[in-house]
Amino acid sequence: MNLKMIKGKQFLMAMVILFGITQVSYAQQEKFKKIQELGGIEEYLYEPNGLELLLLKDNSAPVVTVQIVYRVGSKHEVSGNTGSTHLLEHLMFKGTEKFNKRIGTSIDKQLTSIGAYMNATTWNDRTNYFETIPSDKIELALEIEADRMRNSLLLKEDKDAEMTVVRNEFERGENNPNSVLSKEIWATAYMAHTYHHSTIGWKSDIEKMPIEVLRNFYNTYYWPDNATLTIIGDFDKNELFRYVDKHFGKISKAPNPMPQPYTEEPEQFGPRRVVIKKPGQIGVVNVAYKIPGRMHEDLPALAVLSEILGSGPSSILNREFVDSGLGIYSYADASRFQDVGLFMVGVGISPSTNHDSIYVKIGDVLRGVIEKGVEQSDVERIKSRYQAQSILARDGSSQIAAALTEAIAGGDWRDYVTGVQRINKVTSEDVLRVAKQYLLEDQSTTGYFVPVLPGSNNGQQQSFSNYVDPELGKYYYRHHELDVHNPDASSTKSDQEEEANNFERKEVAGIDVLSIKTGAKGLVSVTGSFSIGSFYNADANVTIPELTTDMLSRGTTKNDKIQFAEKLQKLGVTIDVFPGINTINFGFKCLSQDVNEVFGLLAEELRFPLFDEKEFDLLKNQKLNSVKQTLESPGTRGNIALSQAIYPKDHPNYYNTVEESVKDIEEVTVDDLKSFHKKYFGLVDIHIVIAGDVNTSDIHEAIKASFKGWKGGIEGNISYSEPSPTKGQVKVIGIPLKPSAELYIGQYTGLKRIDPDYLPFYLGNAVLGSGFSGRLMRTVRDESGLTYNISSYHDGHKISGGHWAVNASFNPDLFQEGLDVTMNQLEKWAKEGITQEEHDRIKSNITGSFKVGLATTRGLSNALLNFIELGYEPEYIYQFSKDIEAIALKQTNDAINKYIDVNNLIVIKSGSLNPDGSPMKK
């Protein structure tokens, strides 16, 4: 063959024939038309059926995220089938002829057996399905997604069971004041546009929707030319094209045009208002204004305005409401949906505060912005934050996939790349212009959440929203244990021994510093802790460590609260400091170029807090209201009751009652915090782990400069009484008007994480209640349709013996049935143990998910710190999977038999239940 005479297509075909230079035939390759490339993301069109592909290659870890986004969401629904997109999303996990539980090949079983992190979500404009997996399993994920695109079974019996699951999810949302209020505001603001109803739908539609409606919805929208396949991480493009052609090539384009909503919202001619009165402890005032969709030219300025108004201690709303004591929390948010949206401003208030006065004050604050504008320096600070966070958000393929999903849904995937550029063009004049244009009273909808306290008959008490306080309940969870088995909590490399050589451990300024360089580009994650010794031994006020760490960011002797917050915000960084069971933990993620500066700010927080008296009074008030909210939380109240039934009061795993926590907070003084800080903050047993794009010598110098000369700290260990053996008991906690109740079943095991029986028991428990493939989810949820979520776990095992527990939520009317089905599974598990097939599968799941943890620097640093705190060397991160694989089935079943006694279980029922466990009358 004369190669000199062969050109173009003929040359490529000759190379394939002669040398086998590619795994993809030219005919296959020709089917993929490259559309464009931006920010490292390649867009292709699979021409046979119109499937869009977005590819972002990163071979730094042997992990890949496979995601498919369908351009169909709740806005495509109408009255009568609201919630159908979401209910269909649930049914898509029920399987196909090839992948279903009836023949032992269910989707969740196939994916969890390889350690996949998988899920699906539904929102106004889209539905997405994703799995983050070891990259050598990419074909399995593609085959499953292609198969369920057109071959989902959609059986009536599956719909009937899943309906009650989704209804329980709906009911759980009804326990959240902020969720309830937001749903009502959207329904009032948008009366015609289909953003009117929430994604989960109206309850009656969930309950009555025929399977034929879901099948029709599926057959209308689930086609390749209505989907985007995103592949992010470690993959070979030629191999990927071959798999896509093999599995998606069997599917044609949609046979009919896909209907799109065309109803436009009519003009609003005046302000609207909605008031909700339900049980609670603190009130909410939310004012929402109509704004355009994500790709509108004004959205970047509205996003900057929302940050200036509501993000962080330096925000306008925080200064006007929280710092003044008028509010418990405040926030502002500009939605980013495709068509239209809402700009929301919210304030949480105490029971003694009048809703109307807060509404008037919100109006005054917004008028001030409209009249005076904002400072360009504030705009520049927000722009810097966006720039930094755009890089930090690339820490792991699953995070990138999630962000791409919303850009696709918003109308243009390129906004994932260009969104920061759009933000960078915003000026203070733009912010003033959009404030004047959109923050109009006649285009507003105001919502009040007015709680009714027990015994109240006037409905004028107030309720707390869960929006602002992510640490709610810390007083009941004194420690924050890092689970090394969580897929996002650990890491390894395809060549593990090679990466082990990247460890560098050294004492720097009295600190044990471990650094590891990974394939992450331009960012690092830092995690650390130091011991607080025997603080809890002397009948201590357990709220002091929490209040102390919360005060650290409220000003230092070098920078007041606003100055400190603005420095962090400009860097796009949040420094987390919180108490563990016997430690103070801290961490942050930042750009590699900023790590020296952020270490300086971390040291400033830890070493030189201001402990301002006024700030302390504000913090106490906020914490008191946050804790009081848990009086209305079936989950928190149930978990407290379980801990108290198992542990003595001096045990680190004992949680105080809500009333005890309120009393403790009220009694604490700022001098108590100063004394605690002086005595316990220091270099005793301190560790810092840094993972990512690390320059070790620079980091060591930064730590030296920041922490040199730090004194303080005290050695010591927690002492406590061991729990006495307890007989089985049942306790009911009645909380009126809660549509979802919580079940806890538990027992003391005495197992510590370092005990030889811990990992065998962990395997056995994982088969029972870990994830979608656990026995409890497969039976109580999938087969019986009684709950949205049920799981079993082992907790409290880091420094003391812990306990095993089951947790589930049920509608009060279904509570006894849910308890009965759960107990049947527990008795079978305890009596018979698990099978060899289950044992092999869960070991594969755990070791696979361990590898999936490669995706994030934070997961790696967390896992390493956790192992170090347990006394392991860092290299144990490569031994863990071997320890799992070495466990025999007999060891696991012996551990279940040894530590579980179904005749002496503690059962806690919490929610709208009578003392006998029957549902309260509505």
Side-chain angles (χ1 to χ4, degrees), residues 515-529:
S515 60
I516 178 169
K517 188 171 182 63
T518 73
K521 303 299 183 185
L523 61 91
V524 298
S525 287
V526 174
T527 309
S529 70

Side-chain angles (χ1 to χ4, degrees), residues 289 342 473 825 918:
Y289 301 87
L342 290 176
Q825 289 300 314
S918 62

Side-chain angles (χ1 to χ4, degrees), residues 525-564:
S525 287
V526 174
T527 309
S529 70
F530 57 86
S531 173
I532 56 174
S534 56
F535 168 75
Y536 293 107
N537 289 349
D539 194 26
N541 184 324
V542 297
T543 66
I544 288 176
E546 173 84 14
L547 291 168
T548 301
T549 56
D550 282 350
M551 281 294 293
L552 298 182
S553 62
R554 294 178 175 240
T556 70
T557 57
K558 299 181 179 182
N559 290 283
D560 64 28
K561 178 176 71 173
I562 304 303
Q563 293 168 332
F564 193 84

